């Protein structure tokens, strides 16, 4: 049990460290309109004032700013954006509480935890399926988890390890600060705003009760925030696990299980989890992720943009690196090869359009050692971006020379780690 923690917040160096993390994470302004750069321009005075308010117990969090963003599968996600000063205090509080709760969290919980990632969660689910034969999987879907966390249960969960009344009071203030919607304040009786710095930690503390109870009942789970898999050896065991998990989540934790999306599947049919489909023998990228990625690439490689090819490639590379780094865990070599080939064709199409005249293409070919007569082709035709002339003028090695990241060179099929069962 931990007492007398509030005094650790009353330190300007800690507040400065918290601000650096908030600044690095970027983010929009809260209801006061103050940006991160504006806060940073008057940093010493801002932190001095914040420290004074915390010492005198006059600090009051402001309501969060409501932001609505569409979900990929339809529907809306409600975000709550705190002010910069509130994010700084939340970051300091999170840094203070994380080591206290980290030591007790379930080993199969991976979301928003230090030195744990989506890859770790996928690897462990893969291990359960392939090494231990747990191929009947319950895929649990929670409806608006962050918005439905019960405030009383949040405080009770934190109280099991933290007894400092000032810290508990500060957390309660964040939970009850409310939200501004179209200029009007609304009370928040449940939930921790998705967008708040401390909300992921609160959600993990809240859901740890579910993790532990499932562990005591002998169930094997993998959880990343509110994405939950329960891995079983038979259909009957999966049905039983689903019923027990629903009872814990809805009965004890007052959350809502989405009955339309929660289902039991077999690894032969693929288990959709964190952007991939984990199969009995192979892991694939979910088709919708491939479609969305290609749509982004298509948007960035329009032929009528008039942007130099090198600039287009420089803009593409961060996106290609991020996508390949995440999805290299899947058996994705074929998908990566197809995307790389398709993308080079789009880039050839851009360069043909920039050259405008076939004579310029012909001049380029002669400059690079090709002789003879060349056909006059339509420089704006998508079909001609795959023509022999385009390929001779812009071979794959040419794109390597321009620095285009080549997905074909990415090693895929990351081997899962030897996690404890």
């Amino acid at each position: 049990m931990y007492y007398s923690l509030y005094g650790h917040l009353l330190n300007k160096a800690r507040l400065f460290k918290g601000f650096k993390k908030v600044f690095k994470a970027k983010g929009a302004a809260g209801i006061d309109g103050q940006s991160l750069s504006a806060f940073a321009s008057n940093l010493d005075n801002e932190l001095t004032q914040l420290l004074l308010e915390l010492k005198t117990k006059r600090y009051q969090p402001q309501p969060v700013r409501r932001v609505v963003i569409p979900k990929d599968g339809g529907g809306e996600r409600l975000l709550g954006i705190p002010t910069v000063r509130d994010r700084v205090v939340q970051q300091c509080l999170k840094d203070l509480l994380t080591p206290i709760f980290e030591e007790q969290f379930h080993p199969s919980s991976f979301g928003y935890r230090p030195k744990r990632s989506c890859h770790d969660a996928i690897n462990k689910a893969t291990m359960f399926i392939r090494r231990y034969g747990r191929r009947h999987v319950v895929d649990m879907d929670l409806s608006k988890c962050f918005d439905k966390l019960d405030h009383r249960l949040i405080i009770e969960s934190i109280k099991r390890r933290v007894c400092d009344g000032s810290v508990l009071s500060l957390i309660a203030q964040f939970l009850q600060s409310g939200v501004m919607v179209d200029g009007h304040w609304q009370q928040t009786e449940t939930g921790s705003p998705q967008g708040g710095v401390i909300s992921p930690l609160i959600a993990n503390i809240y859901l740890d009760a579910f993790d532990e109870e499932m562990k005591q009942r002998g169930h094997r789970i993998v959880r990343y925030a509110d994405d939950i898999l329960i891995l079983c050896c038979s259909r009957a065991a999966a049905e039983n696990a689903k019923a027990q998990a629903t009872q814990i989540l809805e009965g004890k934790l007052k959350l809502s299980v989405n009955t339309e999306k929660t289902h039991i599947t077999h690894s032969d049919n693929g288990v959709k989890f964190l952007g991939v489909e984990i199969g009995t023998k192979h892991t694939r990228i979910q088709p919708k992720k491939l479609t969305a990625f290609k749509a982004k690439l298509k948007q960035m490689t329009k032929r009528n943009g008039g942007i130099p090819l090198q600039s287009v490639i420089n803009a593409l590379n961060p996106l290609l690196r991020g996508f390949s780094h995440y999805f290299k865990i899947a058996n994705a070599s074929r998908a990566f090869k197809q995307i790389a080939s398709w993308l080079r064709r789009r880039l050839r199409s851009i360069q043909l359009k920039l050259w405008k005249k076939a004579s310029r293409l012909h001049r380029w070919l002669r400059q690079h050692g090709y002789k003879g007569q060349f056909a006059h082709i339509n420089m704006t035709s998508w079909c001609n971006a795959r023509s022999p002339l385009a390929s001779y003028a812009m071979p794959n090695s040419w794109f390597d020379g321009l620095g285009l990241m080549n997905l074909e060179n990415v090693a895929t099929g990351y081997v899962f780690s030897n996690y404890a069962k």
Side-chain angles (χ1 to χ4, degrees):
M1 194 66 71
Y2 289 81
Y3 304 87
S4 304
L5 292 174
Y6 190 76
H8 292 281
L9 289 175
L10 309 180
N11 183 304
K12 196 169 182 179
R14 181 180 284 274
L15 291 175
F16 178 69
K17 185 178 178 182
F19 169 75
K20 286 201 297 183
K21 290 184 178 180
V22 169
F23 190 83
K24 186 177 180 180
K26 301 181 181 179
I31 62 167
D32 59 357
Q34 186 181 39
S35 66
L36 284 165
S37 57
F39 191 94
S41 66
N42 192 30
L43 185 59
D44 188 67
N45 290 338
E46 292 283 3
L47 296 185
T48 299
Q49 179 63 30
L50 206 50
L51 182 60
L52 178 63
E53 291 179 21
L54 289 168
K55 282 182 176 178
T56 58
K57 302 287 182 73
R58 292 187 292 109
Y59 171 76
Q60 288 287 334
Q62 294 180 272
V64 298
R65 180 169 66 88
R66 170 67 74 229
V67 175
V68 181
I69 59 174
K71 289 185 178 181
D72 290 341
E76 295 177 336
R77 178 177 283 109
L78 302 180
L79 299 184
I81 309 300
T83 61
V84 176
R85 68 198 316 268
D86 289 342
R87 297 209 294 273
V88 171
V89 177
Q90 286 189 29
Q91 183 65 61
C92 294
L93 195 55
K94 178 185 175 183
D95 291 343
L96 188 64
L97 296 178
T98 294
I100 295 172
F101 288 95
E102 259 302 305
E103 60 186 14
Q104 73 161 29
F105 282 151
H106 192 288
S108 288
S109 167
F110 294 94
Y112 310 116
R113 294 182 61 187
K115 299 180 181 179
R116 287 175 170 245
S117 67
C118 293
H119 282 181
D120 295 326
I122 294 168
N123 284 337
K124 191 156 191 181
T126 302
M127 182 190 70
F128 279 137
I129 290 169
R130 297 179 191 164
R131 186 175 296 176
Y132 299 114
R134 294 180 171 271
R135 297 174 181 172
H136 297 268
V137 182
V138 184
D139 185 351
M140 302 288 298
D141 187 88
L142 301 179
S143 299
K144 299 181 179 179
C145 176
F146 280 85
D147 298 331
K148 296 188 177 181
L149 301 177
D150 184 84
H151 288 177
R152 180 182 61 81
L153 291 179
I154 290 173
I155 298 300
E156 286 181 0
S157 299
I158 296 172
K159 267 186 179 179
R160 294 190 183 101
R161 293 184 69 80
V162 174
C163 283
D164 188 317
S166 296
V167 169
L168 294 171
S169 176
L170 187 57
I171 293 171
Q173 287 181 55
F174 283 123
L175 295 174
Q176 298 164 7
S177 62
V179 59
M180 293 296 290
V181 181
D182 297 328
H184 300 285
W185 181 80
Q186 291 184 6
Q187 185 177 359
T188 48
E189 298 179 351
T190 60
S192 182
Q194 193 169 354
V197 176
I198 202 170
S199 293
L201 175 61
I202 288 175
N204 273 336
I205 295 171
Y206 194 94
L207 287 169
D208 188 61
F210 167 79
D211 299 342
E212 289 303 321
E213 187 151 351
M214 292 297 283
K215 181 180 178 181
Q216 291 170 12
R217 298 186 186 195
H219 296 296
R220 295 289 183 264
I221 70 167
V222 176
R223 183 174 66 80
Y224 192 95
D226 58 349
D227 289 330
I228 304 169
L229 298 182
I230 310 171
L231 301 107
C232 306
C233 293
S234 68
R235 175 82 187 192
E239 294 282 3
N240 178 54
K242 178 184 173 185
Q244 292 186 30
T246 300
Q247 188 276 324
I248 296 168
L249 291 167
E250 294 190 336
K252 295 187 177 182
L253 297 181
K254 300 183 180 181
L255 298 173
S256 296
V257 174
N258 188 328
T259 55
E260 292 182 2
K261 293 185 178 180
T262 297
H263 64 283
I264 296 172
T265 187
H266 192 279
S267 58
D268 285 350
N269 301 319
V271 178
K272 294 182 179 179
F273 187 53
L274 300 178
V276 301
E277 289 186 8
I278 306 170
T280 305
K281 295 182 179 179
H282 299 91
T283 301
R284 301 176 179 85
I285 305 173
Q286 289 184 21
K288 68 177 183 180
K289 298 296 182 182
L290 286 171
T291 301
F293 181 60
K294 288 187 71 174
K296 287 183 181 178
L297 296 179
K298 193 172 183 178
Q299 180 68 26
M300 296 174 69
T301 54
K302 291 183 176 180
R303 284 179 288 170
N304 58 359
I307 302 172
L309 191 65
Q310 187 65 66
S311 299
V312 175
I313 289 173
N314 292 342
L316 286 171
N317 279 336
L319 186 64
L320 293 168
R321 277 194 293 268
F323 183 83
S324 62
H325 178 74
Y326 184 86
F327 286 109
K328 69 181 180 181
I329 195 170
N331 303 108
S333 59
R334 181 180 296 177
F336 281 4
K337 184 176 181 179
Q338 290 172 344
I339 292 173
S341 176
W342 171 80
L343 180 60
R344 284 192 295 265
R345 184 179 177 185
R346 291 193 64 81
L347 294 175
R348 289 187 182 105
S349 179
I350 289 175
Q351 187 58 56
L352 290 177
K353 182 79 178 290
L354 290 171
W355 276 332
K356 296 182 180 178
K357 299 177 181 179
S359 59
R360 291 179 180 174
L361 168 63
H362 298 166
R363 188 185 311 133
W364 176 271
L365 286 167
R366 291 191 180 94
Q367 288 171 352
H368 288 78
Y370 292 96
K371 300 183 182 301
Q373 293 297 315
F374 306 118
H376 281 261
I377 64 173
N378 184 347
M379 301 291 279
T380 61
S381 168
W382 167 246
C383 181
N384 285 336
R386 200 175 181 179
S387 68
L389 289 182
S391 297
Y392 295 153
M394 296 169 277
N396 294 356
S397 58
W398 184 69
F399 289 106
D400 293 338
L402 291 176
L404 176 67
M405 197 218 160
N406 190 350
L407 293 178
E408 293 176 312
N409 295 334
V410 178
T412 62
Y414 189 77
V415 178
F416 58 82
S417 304
N418 186 26
Y419 289 101
K421 186 177 180 182

